[in-house]
Amino acid sequence: MDHHIPAGIGTDGAAHGGLSLWNEMKIFRSVMSLRHGVQKHIPNIMPSKRIFDMTITNGAQILNEQGSLGKIKAGYKADLIGININQPHLYPSGNWQNTLLESVNANDVTEMIIGGKFIMRNREVLTLDQERIMFEARKWSEENGFI
């Protein structure tokens, strides 16, 4: 970052972050705080704004999508999520950016819009038959000795 090389945050599989950018951001912040912040006596080495910029703005740049991702703006792709903030673990908040980073998890995401189309609404996936997928996964697991 000191050399103006865009650093981004993403998820590449169901490892420690469990396919959740929320978890990845928290893990990254913790590792950076331990590795660099504690040693240099800088308690806030990775402020939430920087981490969101890395995830959103730099993520678009790294994917070569700057100018079409990373902002809510006319002409940009309409990929958005909705978060249910009316929950005890998200209140009170003196700083919403910090609250989002520190307290939100994947279960708090209630809506997902990709390309302007609802994919999930009120935590119901609209594009997949979840019951059938779970049935087939359970059946396969039983047939292959995993259950």
Side-chain angles (χ1 to χ4, degrees):
M1 288 185 288
D2 291 342
H3 298 286
H4 306 289
I5 298 169
I9 297 175
T11 179
D12 62 354
H16 62 279
L19 295 175
S20 169
L21 280 173
W22 299 106
N23 288 347
E24 295 293 341
M25 289 187 289
K26 289 177 186 77
I27 292 165
F28 175 75
R29 185 181 213 176
S30 296
V31 169
M32 292 301 291
S33 293
L34 285 173
R35 175 70 177 95
H36 299 285
V38 172
Q39 291 178 9
K40 297 176 184 176
H41 305 290
I42 305 171
N44 195 14
I45 191 118
M46 276 291 143
S48 56
K49 181 185 180 337
R50 178 179 287 174
I51 292 174
F52 279 117
D53 285 345
M54 290 173 68
T55 306
I56 299 167
T57 307
N58 291 6
Q61 186 176 358
I62 289 166
L63 293 170
N64 201 25
E65 292 277 355
Q66 67 272 30
S68 64
L69 284 179
K71 295 180 182 178
I72 299 174
K73 183 177 176 181
Y76 278 58
K77 295 179 181 177
D79 295 352
L80 306 165
I81 61 169
I83 299 167
N84 177 5
I85 61 170
N86 294 314
Q87 300 183 74
H89 67 281
L90 299 179
Y91 276 95
S93 176
N95 180 319
W96 276 109
Q97 210 165 38
N98 285 341
T99 300
L100 289 173
L101 181 65
E102 293 296 336
S103 301
V104 168
N105 61 60
N107 293 332
D108 297 323
V109 176
T110 55
E111 279 76 34
M112 183 183 301
I113 301 170
I114 299 175
K117 296 181 182 181
F118 272 95
I119 302 301
M120 180 173 69
R121 186 177 269 170
N122 296 319
R123 297 221 26 95
E124 179 185 345
V125 178
L126 305 174
T127 59
L128 302 171
D129 184 346
Q130 286 181 280
E131 287 182 29
R132 187 177 131 259
I133 292 168
M134 291 301 297
F135 172 80
E136 290 180 11
R138 189 172 293 110
K139 181 180 173 187
W140 183 89
S141 295
E142 288 172 356
E143 290 171 355
N144 290 283
F146 290 102
I147 294 181

